[in-house]
Amino acid sequence: MGFEKLLDQVGGFGLFQVRNVFLLALPRLIMPMQFLLPIFMAAVPAHRCALPGTSANFSHQDAWLEGYLPQEPDGTLSSCLRFTHPQAPHNTTLQGEGQSPGELQGEPSTVPCPQGWEYDRSEFSSTITTEWDLVCERRGLNRITSTLFFAGVLVGAVAFGYLSDRFGRRRLLLVSYVGTLVMGLASAASVSYVMFVITRTLTGAALSGFTIIVITLEMEWLDVEHRTVAGVLSSSFWSGGVMLLALVGYLIRDWRWLLVAVTLPCVPGIVCLWWVPESARWLLTQGRVEEARRYLLCCAKLNGRPVGEDSLSLETLSKVAAGEKVVRRPSYLDLLRTPRLRHISLCCVVVWFAVNFAYYGLTLNVSGLGLNVYLTQLLFGAVELPAKLLVYLSVRYAGRRLTQAGTLLGTALTLGGRLLLSSEMASWSTALEVIGKGCSESSFTTVYLFTTELYPTVLRQTGLGLTALMGRLGGSLAPLATLLDGVWLPLPKLTYGGIALLGACTALLLPETRRAQLPETIQDVERKRCIQSSGGRDTHEAGPRLSGIRGRPSTEVLHQGLGEQKGRPCDRGWGR
């Protein structure tokens, strides 16, 4: 008997699973508010050099300002330079500073703002930009905060993926909650830019636990039929968090209090962990039969399934655990030892990089749509909901692979389409941007579901940790790619679209998982390779061979795949 049969007995989708999805909804709400917080927290308001004897009011004195500030090629006043000596506009007399006689003959000299900057505070009362003057030649420091945050998520994904496979999903979820709470509040209390960057990086590391533990805890309690609907439902809470951030950002205009507001929901999340069950699949792979039995009985009770003592006896569960038990602790090298897992892992890291790079490239750049930042954020969140509905229908009927490739291709096409539009076609540009955002969100929703179904239980968290690592690498590089506009204005969008297209092509190389049972061991993954390679001829032979392998109480349970046994159809390789 395998775990899927046990799940059928206690209920693969019922009140227990619905309760689990809603208990784990809070991390889904917290993640987008933290990940997309730079939209408001690091916003760059209109600014100019601070001038002697003037106020920060931007609504008048234009002619007076022209005497102090040079013009950019587009006719606007410079935000980063001022004249060394004020120039005298027509019908205007400047006092307090003299003009060099030599400058009357040629181009007046300019200097960076010597007295700092003045900011328009009509939209934001305070951001990290205004706090530490992260503009002009310090503009890159603003982007680096997001890059280092995602670098923290990257490192955390490796740690949480490995540790949650070793010590359990629930325990590491608590660590993630506590770490996010402590580091988030420390960031809000930062007294310097360096302290802020360090604490935000550690916040990202703590948040990475949410990204890979929550989806696994949900999926490992669900049967095959309901994984899609539950996955799409749980991901809709992310969209709710995106829209909630727009509301919270509109109500709280100071970056410190805004950071506190999006961090404090971790407190009720820690309380909710009391009712969150550990994964019974994982417990059985660790040989912890009694704990698994307790959770399975709880599942049966809440789902209203009458289960006899014999069907869930310790003896029965021990037999299941004998086939699931991991004798040797998993490592990232195990993802590369067998042919099929190696192929899956290499393709997944490319797809995850592309999904994150395109998504955050679109999401963190909310300018140029003709709307204020709050309406744009609300619109971006709202478009994600119908996108998830389309994902639900697509993965059910078209499959995971085509959906993943199609959504990434749609993202690439919309980004490329915007480059072909002139500045007069603003409405079309806005429409393409919104469609691209919907496609990128759809690709994000699909990749979590798809990857979870590709990896076996013994390596699922490890696999998600590896793919999330590459994904967060893409997320960390996405903010820096916007700086490429200094080389060529369309280059950032061209880069985002090109990487999305690469991800779409790579997704087509992955195997389809629609209506497939979650693999429990490496042998389950390699068996599919064997069956596919042999054209289905060895389906009946594979079962007995696997039964023999799964019963071996040795390190072969983790490492030995059918592809390693000479003379079998698997030796011909996987993929065409």
Side-chain angles (χ1 to χ4, degrees), residues 260-437:
V260 170
V262 301
T263 301
L264 286 181
C266 289
V267 175
I270 294 172
V271 176
C272 288
L273 272 180
W274 178 263
W275 295 278
V276 174
E278 180 58 272
S279 168
R281 290 179 188 264
W282 177 82
L283 289 171
L284 288 175
T285 65
Q286 306 301 304
R288 294 160 64 173
V289 177
E290 292 186 5
E291 293 178 66
R293 181 174 183 270
R294 185 169 68 251
Y295 284 118
L296 288 168
L297 289 173
C298 178
C299 178
K301 181 179 179 181
L302 282 179
N303 289 342
R305 293 292 186 93
V307 178
E309 291 293 325
D310 293 338
S311 58
L312 286 181
S313 65
L314 292 179
E315 181 180 357
T316 301
L317 293 179
S318 295
K319 292 180 181 179
V320 176
E324 311 290 346
K325 188 175 180 181
V326 179
V327 177
R328 183 184 177 276
R329 299 298 183 185
S331 73
Y332 287 101
L333 290 177
D334 294 321
L335 299 174
L336 304 174
R337 291 184 191 277
T338 56
R340 185 176 172 90
L341 261 182
R342 181 165 57 249
H343 179 95
I344 288 172
S345 298
L346 293 177
C347 289
C348 279
V349 296
V350 175
V351 172
W352 272 74
F353 182 92
V355 168
N356 281 261
F357 189 78
Y359 179 86
Y360 288 107
L362 279 166
T363 305
L364 294 176
N365 182 21
V366 296
S367 61
L369 295 185
L371 303 172
N372 68 47
V373 64
Y374 305 104
L375 286 177
T376 301
Q377 180 68 12
L378 186 63
L379 179 62
F380 274 8
V383 77
E384 291 185 1
L385 295 177
K388 293 182 188 299
L389 177 61
L390 292 177
V391 167
Y392 171 70
L393 297 174
S394 181
V395 296
R396 282 176 63 88
Y397 299 106
R400 278 66 159 155
R401 179 174 57 183
L402 290 180
T403 301
Q404 187 69 71
T407 52
L408 281 170
L409 179 61
T411 304
L413 292 177
T414 54
L415 285 166
R418 285 199 69 195
L419 296 177
L420 302 177
L421 298 179
S422 62
S423 57
E424 289 78 16
M425 305 175 70
S427 58
W428 284 100
S429 180
T430 300
L432 282 178
E433 184 84 5
V434 173
I435 293 172
K437 179 59 169 64

